[in-house]
Each structure stands twice: as C-alpha cells, then as structure tokens.
C-alpha cells in the first residue's frame, strides 16, 4: 500500500484520500497500484457499500508529475500498466462512487471523475485536461465519454482547447453534481456516500451494472487511448513540450 493513499472504512463507506502534498497529490505508479487494488476489491467486500475519493483542501490532484512522463514505462505486451488497471476498475465497479473536489483536478484527476456517480466541489475547484497542450492524447475513456455524454462542442472545449473548466461551467453541463458553497465539501460528499451505503446493496449493484453500456467497445477504446498515449511519450513533440515545461518550472 502506498503511503500517499490514506483509507478509512466506516458505516459501509471506504474513504480514499490522496495524500501526496509535496507533489500536489500527483499520482505515482505505486499510488496507481494501491488505487487499483482498492477499487478492484470493493465489489467483493460486503463491508464496502460506497467509495468516497477526495484530495485535500488545496488540491484534488495535479495528475501525473511531469518528470514521470519522461520516465514512464511503455505498455509492453499484454501486461496492463497500473494506471489502466485502476481506470478499468473504476469504470467497471458496481459500487457507487462519490468524489469531493477542492482546488484543481488536472489530467487523470479530471478524466477519472467521468466514471463517478456523484461529484461534489467547492468554489475553488476547476477541471483541466491539458493533453493536447502536452502533445499527447486523452485517457481514461475521455475521448469516448465526453462526446457521447455532452456533445462534440463540449468535448472540444475540454480536449482540444484544453480550457480550465470552472465549477459553475461543470455544473451547467452536468459534469458535476453540486457546488458546495456553505460548509465542507468533503462532509457533504461523505454524507451522500453514507446515504448510498444504507440502500439495498444488491439492487444498487444491479442498477449500476444496467447503467453501463457497450462495455466491450468502451474497454477497447480505453486501451486504444492508452496505447496511443504510450506511443506519444516517445514522440519528439511530447518530449520537447515536457522538457520545456520542466525548464520553466526550474526557472
């Protein structure tokens, strides 16, 4: 288990907290491995009736550390990288998922939320999918979900223009559930997770499964994105962009 993933389990809710403050909650391979294990095991654990994912008061997650892109291992053969195992586990779980978002949700921090059932934010939150600006392609099924759910213009806003989406804009398009203006967003999200955990578990699981559509095609699309993302890591265009950004940060 990664030291940067904190967990508690009470009243049927597995609360998962991203805890990597010195790196703005950037996700590492070790963190992905832990997250994949937690989400993969949720459906089989009768003590887990809902999952709550949260960051801290300053940031949800910065996505991947830029240096991690340069050191990333390409997808080799049929062995799936930990990040893909986590994405698939999130996409396929029949356990209800709730997220509490304060501050930026960047990269996979924004795309993974497309698989959540309830997303609560405060007014400091924003969502950013900067893949094109990083000379790469989307992941976590974003290029499939966004056009189908919100239409092509909104998908282009996220994925081509790489705009930072405010909580108000996110609420207007139906990307999030609610903006919490009074009180702690984490407490509001926890209250919803506890409410879901009290509902009939079998009916909840079956309902989530029925809401899922075109599973095989969707999983194939996630893999297609991931393999193209891996290929882009070796491209001169992406390498140049990442190096430029790392130099700017040092300066």
């Amino acid at each position: 288990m990664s030291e940067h993933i904190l967990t508690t389990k009470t009243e049927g809710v597995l609360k998962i907290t991203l805890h990597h403050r010195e790196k703005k909650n950037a996700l590492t391979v070790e963190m992905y491995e832990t997250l994949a294990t937690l989400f993969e095991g949720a459906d089989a654990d009768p003590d887990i009736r809902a999952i709550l994912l949260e960051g801290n008061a300053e940031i949800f997650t910065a996505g991947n550390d830029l240096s991690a892109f340069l050191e990333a291992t390409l997808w080799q053969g049929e062995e799936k990288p930990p990040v893909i195992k986590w994405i698939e586990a999130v996409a396929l779980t029949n356990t209800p998922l709730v997220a509490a978002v304060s501050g930026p949700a960047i990269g996979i921090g924004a795309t993974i939320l497309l698989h959540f059932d309830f997303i609560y934010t405060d007014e400091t939150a924003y969502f950013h999918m900067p893949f094109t600006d990083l000379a790469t392609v989307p992941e976590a099924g974003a290029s499939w979900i966004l056009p189908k759910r919100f239409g092509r213009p909104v998908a282009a806003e996220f994925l081509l223009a790489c705009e930072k989406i405010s909580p108000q804009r996110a609420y207007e398009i139906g990307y999030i559930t609610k903006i919490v203006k009074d009180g702690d967003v984490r407490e509001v999200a926890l209250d919803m997770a506890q409410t879901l955990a009290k509902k009939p578990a079998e009916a909840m699981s079956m309902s989530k499964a029925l809401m899922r559509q075109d599973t095989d095609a969707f999983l194939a699309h996630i893999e297609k994105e991931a393999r193209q993302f891996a290929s882009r890591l070796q491209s001169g265009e992406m390498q140049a962009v990442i190096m430029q950004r790392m130099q700017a940060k040092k300066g």
Side-chain angles (χ1 to χ4, degrees):
M1 295 288 287
S2 170
E3 64 179 330
H4 299 304
I5 302 291
L6 307 181
T7 63
T8 60
K9 189 193 298 183
T10 56
E11 298 183 43
V13 177
L14 173 62
K15 182 168 73 172
I16 302 173
T17 304
L18 305 178
H19 185 66
H20 199 190
R21 287 178 178 268
E22 66 275 17
K23 289 289 188 178
K24 298 182 179 179
N25 285 345
L27 297 169
T28 65
V29 171
E30 183 183 58
M31 292 170 73
Y32 283 131
E33 290 173 343
T34 297
L35 288 166
T37 298
L38 290 170
F39 277 78
E40 286 170 349
D43 286 358
D45 188 338
D47 293 327
I48 298 176
R49 309 276 288 275
I51 296 176
L52 170 61
L53 179 66
E54 63 181 19
N56 53 48
E58 296 78 35
I59 189 167
F60 184 63
T61 175
N64 285 288
D65 192 304
L66 288 179
S67 61
F69 282 125
L70 298 179
E71 300 169 0
T73 302
L74 291 177
W75 190 328
Q76 298 179 348
E78 297 305 314
E79 180 63 25
K80 296 177 181 178
V83 61
I84 301 303
K85 292 180 181 179
W86 180 46
I87 291 168
E88 290 186 351
V90 173
L92 295 176
T93 183
N94 291 329
T95 301
L97 303 179
V98 183
V101 182
S102 293
I106 300 172
I108 195 167
T111 58
I112 201 68
L113 294 176
L114 293 168
H115 303 281
F116 275 63
D117 304 300
F118 297 87
I119 305 167
Y120 295 90
T121 81
D122 59 24
E123 294 181 287
T124 71
Y126 70 81
F127 307 90
H128 191 203
M129 302 180 188
F131 304 109
T132 302
D133 287 346
L134 291 170
T136 189
V137 297
E139 31 78 314
S143 60
W144 172 289
I145 298 172
L146 284 167
K148 285 181 175 291
R149 186 180 300 173
F150 306 117
R152 193 175 185 89
V154 170
E157 186 178 349
F158 273 95
L159 301 178
L160 302 184
C162 301
E163 294 185 5
K164 294 180 180 179
I165 306 300
S166 70
Q168 185 59 43
R169 174 63 174 152
Y171 179 75
E172 289 170 356
I173 64 175
Y175 179 92
I176 66 171
T177 305
K178 183 179 180 179
I179 304 169
V180 178
K181 298 183 178 181
D182 297 308
D184 188 335
V185 65
R186 281 162 291 280
E187 291 299 321
V188 173
L190 178 59
D191 183 64
M192 173 54 75
Q194 290 172 337
T195 297
L196 294 169
K198 293 173 184 175
K199 295 183 182 294
E202 290 183 12
M204 178 70 72
S205 177
M206 293 172 67
S207 295
K208 274 208 66 170
L210 286 168
M211 290 168 65
R212 191 178 300 116
Q213 300 178 11
D214 301 325
T215 300
D216 290 343
F218 178 58
L219 292 178
H221 189 84
I222 288 177
E223 179 172 335
K224 180 180 179 180
E225 282 182 335
R227 291 189 180 276
Q228 289 192 16
F229 193 107
S231 176
R232 292 301 298 165
L233 287 170
Q234 300 302 304
S235 70
E237 187 176 50
M238 186 173 183
Q239 293 276 324
V241 169
I242 298 302
M243 289 300 297
Q244 183 180 38
R245 293 195 172 209
M246 290 179 67
Q247 290 293 335
K249 289 180 67 175
K250 290 178 181 178

